Amino acid sequence: MTSTFMGLEIGRKGLQSHQQALAVTGHNLDNINSEGYSRQRIDIMPFDPIYLPGLNRAETPGQLGQGAVVERIERVRDELLDRRIVTQASGEGYWTVRDRYIQEMEQMYLETGANSVRSKMDKFWDAWQELSMHAADNEFRTAVLQRGKTLIDGIHNHYNGLKMLQTQVNDDIEMNVSRVNEITRQIAALNKDITRIKALGDNPNDLMDRRDSLVDRLSSIIDVTVTQKDPDEFMVHTSGHVLVQGQVARQFDMRKDVDEESYAHIFWQDTKREIVFTRGSLGALMELRDATIEDEIQNLDNMTMNFVDLVNEIHRGAYGANGTTGSDFFSEYPFVANVNGNYDRSGSGVFDSSYIYRINGQNRLESQAQTGLQGTITLSGANGDINVPYYATDTVADIITRVNNSGAEVVARLNRDGLLTLKGTPADLVEGQRVNPDFVIRHIEDSGHFLAGYAGLLNASGPEGAFNWNQADAVTSLRGGPETFAVAPISHPAGWIEVNPALLKDPGSVAAGFSYNDHAANPGNGDAAAAIAAIRNSPVMVGRLSTFDDYFADSVGRIALLGEQSGRALETENRIMKYLTDMRRSISGVNMDEEIANMIRYQHGYNAAARFITTVNSMLDTIINRMGV
């Protein structure tokens, strides 16, 4: 039933409601520049009327209201838009990081003039050309040595620059993993507080804003999705796995493989299983470290190894001014000391593998001669063996081209003596991992007689005559002695190849001429120096490229394309994110004009409630103090 003092209670509710509304407005204005803040809205609802349906309801016309109360204080958010932003942020994070590091790589390849590796290599070839015309003068041998040392220093600098960038990326990965672990712990802690506050019937708006801001930061590092099927269990997923479930946050560890040269990979702390990210800044960093930069290092290694091997091949067969022969111009260091390349790959203490880099045939071949043979050459590839067929109408050059274009991790060429040469190349990634060593021939087999009888490389055709690296003394399947093959080099030759120190001590040992009729070359014979200089424009089998000029042109072009791709992709991602964030800001951001208008509106409501109380108080004063007997 109604009360004499009911008006005061209605006025009190009005004062409190509009006072809270003013407080919310002030809170919004104070946080107008707070990152991640969502404007809050207060819902003022009518209080339950005094009479509700029932047997004890008084006989009065209609329901008598009891003023207004605050129903809720909620934040203004569009959940679908928030999920779109979380999904899009991983793409922007990916291209932001990738573009930054690709620009750094571009700076390494933009060396011009005498500082570039290409310029230093041109001067190296020029020095050999000069020596071919002045083979009797040791000063030109000294020039060759100095140009060779300058070139090697340039290759070392380029390798070290790429390696330092790769290490920088790895450090960035470790920092990002630590950041992800910290963010997930904070999200789990906020989930605990939010759940407790919601249990009391309140809306922890500021805490939820802070959690959403953390999710936004997390989504730029890794690809995440957010679900909340249970109101009390906020969940974050990544790569199909639960990352945060309510108050539990799963963490990541980083562990290295047995190989000390490898970098650490990311594992779940609880299950010890590896996880690979493909989006977000962390996905970009892992791809840069393990693929993009590693591929550039491998390309440099491949060029360096072929360059060194070709120069040494000619230099070993030539004579110096002092009559010495059989020496290498560049120092090559084998991966294993065993002359047959035997290696204990399993760590059992017993040789179980053969690490061979180059194999030469025994028979001189003519490039344009038809073989008249038919069969299939089987060579090792990244994801299994690759079959290369050949036919009776094929020339030797046709078969070599087909091998080099097959995608196998073995390439072929005819050396200056017309002998077929097979070489191992850097190994490709297998499911994101580099499981095979670089510059190692793993399998050679021929169902026909091209490699066996024709080229004189294998002892027999078919599986019984195949070369398989997964056994010791695999070289017994090759025709010829140790001079027909070379043991695989230590990894990353671009970082350690040097000019032969013996030649630096005695420039007269630099070979310039070939022997004739089993006699040492004449002092003025420069045929060998001319042959080395000719390597510059000769098909030298640098992977699928023809010449060293092709390598440099391909490297610069490849990096330029990567830079263009990352720049355009980043621009697109930035535009999409700007559109989405502007839309969210228009919905959830604080508008000063709107808040000031609300402030005036709530102020008038507060004043009206106060005036209502004054009026009721005056009425009560009349009843209490002015009604006499």
Side-chain angles (χ1 to χ4, degrees):
M1 50 188 298
T2 60
S3 168
T4 304
F5 300 96
M6 181 179 175
L8 292 177
E9 180 64 17
I10 292 175
R12 182 189 67 81
K13 288 187 176 73
L15 285 176
Q16 288 182 339
S17 298
H18 288 88
Q19 186 177 17
Q20 289 183 21
L22 283 169
V24 171
T25 301
H27 186 60
N28 285 339
L29 290 171
D30 286 347
N31 288 280
I32 192 170
N33 293 316
S34 298
E35 183 180 356
Y37 178 78
S38 303
R39 67 184 176 94
Q40 296 179 14
R41 181 176 61 194
I42 188 168
D43 288 343
I44 301 177
M45 305 292 290
F47 193 73
D48 292 340
I50 193 169
Y51 291 122
L52 294 175
L55 296 178
N56 60 345
R57 181 183 183 278
E59 292 293 334
T60 59
Q63 290 184 323
L64 187 60
Q66 299 189 81
V69 293
V70 174
E71 181 74 12
R72 70 180 67 85
I73 301 173
E74 61 183 3
R75 58 187 191 140
V76 180
R77 300 283 290 202
D78 186 332
E79 292 186 3
L80 293 178
L81 181 60
D82 288 342
R83 292 179 184 177
R84 175 74 189 280
I85 291 176
V86 166
T87 302
Q88 189 67 36
S90 61
E92 184 185 41
Y94 175 92
W95 288 109
T96 299
V97 170
R98 184 170 178 82
D99 184 65
R100 184 175 75 248
Y101 279 105
I102 291 296
Q103 287 183 17
E104 291 191 39
M105 291 179 64
E106 284 183 314
Q107 296 303 314
M108 297 180 188
Y109 286 87
L110 288 179
E111 294 178 328
T112 58
N115 291 327
S116 67
V117 175
R118 180 171 188 168
S119 175
K120 293 173 181 177
M121 182 171 283
D122 287 341
K123 291 181 179 179
F124 178 73
W125 301 131
D126 291 340
W128 281 105
Q129 189 66 44
E130 292 288 333
L131 179 60
S132 70
M133 296 183 290
H134 305 88
D137 297 333
N138 273 346
E139 61 183 285
F140 290 95
R141 286 179 164 81
T142 302
V144 166
L145 290 170
Q146 292 304 317
R147 295 284 175 81
K149 194 172 186 308
T150 301
L151 171 59
I152 291 302
D153 288 342
I155 293 175
H156 287 174
N157 289 337
H158 192 56
Y159 168 79
N160 291 331
L162 289 171
K163 201 64 180 176
M164 287 176 62
L165 185 62
Q166 192 177 34
T167 301
Q168 179 183 338
V169 172
N170 183 70
D171 294 340
D172 210 348
I173 290 174
E174 293 180 354
M175 287 189 293
N176 273 270
V177 170
S178 298
R179 191 175 297 121
V180 168
N181 286 339
E182 178 61 27
I183 290 174
T184 54
R185 285 195 294 266
Q186 291 181 24
I187 292 175
L190 285 171
N191 284 341
K192 180 179 180 180
D193 293 338
I194 290 171
T195 301
R196 187 170 63 248
I197 293 173
K198 280 187 173 181
L200 299 176
D202 295 331
N203 287 333
N205 296 320
D206 292 336
L207 294 183
M208 289 191 289
D209 278 346
R210 195 181 306 170
R211 182 177 65 185
D212 288 343
S213 181
L214 289 172
V215 171
D216 287 345
R217 289 171 53 193
L218 184 64
S219 65
S220 68
I221 303 175
I222 58 176
D223 52 318
V224 298
T225 56
V226 175
T227 59
Q228 193 170 8
K229 296 180 180 179
D230 185 339
D232 296 331
E233 193 170 67
F234 183 87
M235 299 179 67
V236 180
H237 296 79
T238 181
S239 301
H241 300 277
V242 175
L243 181 59
V244 178
Q245 184 173 10
Q247 303 174 25
V248 179
R250 299 178 67 190
Q251 301 285 280
F252 296 116
D253 277 337
M254 294 196 70
R255 296 204 317 266
K256 291 183 64 174
D257 296 331
V258 177
D259 184 3
E260 290 298 326
E261 292 187 358
S262 65
Y263 290 103
H265 295 278
I266 306 173
F267 293 82
W268 289 103
Q269 193 177 79
D270 49 4
T271 63
K272 310 302 180 185
R273 292 184 178 179
E274 185 176 0
I275 182 169
V276 177
F277 297 102
T278 58
R279 292 177 60 82
S281 59
L282 193 53
L285 290 168
M286 294 182 71
E287 184 178 354
L288 283 164
R289 185 194 70 180
D290 299 333
T292 306
I293 301 177
E294 183 66 21
D295 285 346
E296 292 304 314
I297 292 175
Q298 282 197 328
N299 288 330
L300 181 63
D301 285 337
N302 195 26
M303 183 279 294
T304 303
M305 197 62 213
N306 279 279
F307 162 73
V308 167
D309 193 57
L310 290 167
V311 172
N312 284 347
E313 180 183 69
I314 297 175
H315 196 272
R316 278 193 300 267
Y319 286 81
N322 56 12
T324 59
T325 187
S327 61
D328 290 335
F329 186 84
F330 296 105
S331 297
E332 296 185 45
Y333 300 100
F335 179 75
V336 293
N338 187 279
V339 293
N340 288 336
N342 293 334
Y343 178 65
D344 176 20
R345 185 156 51 103
S346 64
S348 63
V350 179
F351 290 141
D352 56 15
S353 303
S354 297
Y355 278 48
I356 302 299
Y357 162 60
R358 182 188 67 246
I359 302 173
N360 290 334
Q362 297 296 293
N363 301 333
R364 184 181 181 86
L365 306 180
E366 294 294 334
S367 177
Q368 298 305 317
Q370 287 188 345
T371 64
L373 301 172
Q374 184 171 341
T376 300
I377 298 174
T378 305
L379 303 170
S380 52
N383 296 299
D385 292 338
I386 293 176
N387 294 323
V388 182
Y390 60 90
Y391 309 97
T393 56
D394 286 337
T395 64
V396 173
D398 292 335
I399 298 175
I400 289 175
T401 301
R402 202 170 294 142
V403 167
N404 291 337
N405 293 332
S406 66
E409 294 180 343
V410 178
V411 288
R413 66 179 283 266
L414 292 182
N415 66 13
R416 60 179 300 272
D417 295 323
L419 304 179
L420 179 66
T421 299
L422 299 183
K423 292 182 180 180
T425 66
D428 291 331
L429 294 175
V430 178
E431 296 182 355
Q433 303 293 328
R434 205 169 300 280
V435 298
N436 295 315
D438 292 338
F439 303 112
V440 173
I441 299 175
R442 300 194 302 278
H443 186 79
I444 303 174
E445 183 182 337
D446 187 0
S447 65
H449 297 281
F450 177 73
L451 294 181
Y454 194 83
L457 190 143
L458 295 175
N459 280 325
S461 300
E464 63 277 4
F467 171 89
N468 290 304
W469 79 306
N470 56 0
Q471 61 182 348
D473 294 322
V475 294
T476 56
S477 62
L478 306 177
R479 185 174 297 183
E483 71 280 356
T484 63
F485 62 85
V487 176
I490 298 175
S491 61
H492 301 311
W496 52 260
I497 287 288
E498 296 285 355
V499 175
N500 191 339
L503 301 185
L504 294 173
K505 292 179 180 179
D506 183 11
S509 298
V510 174
F514 292 120
S515 66
Y516 291 94
N517 299 322
D518 296 329
H519 294 290
N522 294 326
N525 187 327
D527 291 348
I532 292 177
I535 295 174
R536 165 193 257 168
N537 298 314
S538 301
V540 293
M541 189 204 67
V542 182
R544 297 183 181 87
L545 306 175
S546 298
T547 67
F548 288 110
D549 283 347
D550 290 337
Y551 162 78
F552 290 110
D554 181 74
S555 297
V556 174
R558 183 174 57 253
I559 294 299
L561 287 174
L562 288 176
E564 181 181 7
Q565 177 198 33
S566 62
R568 289 183 176 180
L570 177 59
E571 183 180 0
T572 301
E573 293 290 338
N574 285 340
R575 287 182 177 179
I576 295 174
M577 278 298 292
K578 184 178 185 305
Y579 170 76
L580 294 175
T581 52
D582 286 349
M583 185 182 297
R584 180 165 68 179
R585 194 174 295 114
S586 68
I587 296 173
S588 302
V590 178
N591 185 294
M592 184 176 293
D593 293 337
E594 181 182 353
E595 294 303 325
I596 291 177
N598 286 337
M599 183 170 60
I600 296 173
R601 181 160 61 95
Y602 295 142
Q603 181 184 13
H604 286 322
Y606 185 89
N607 291 338
R611 179 63 61 87
F612 175 76
I613 291 177
T614 301
T615 301
V616 172
N617 182 63
S618 176
M619 293 171 59
L620 293 176
D621 180 67
T622 299
I623 294 174
I624 296 173
N625 297 318
R626 298 183 184 182
M627 292 181 64
V629 176

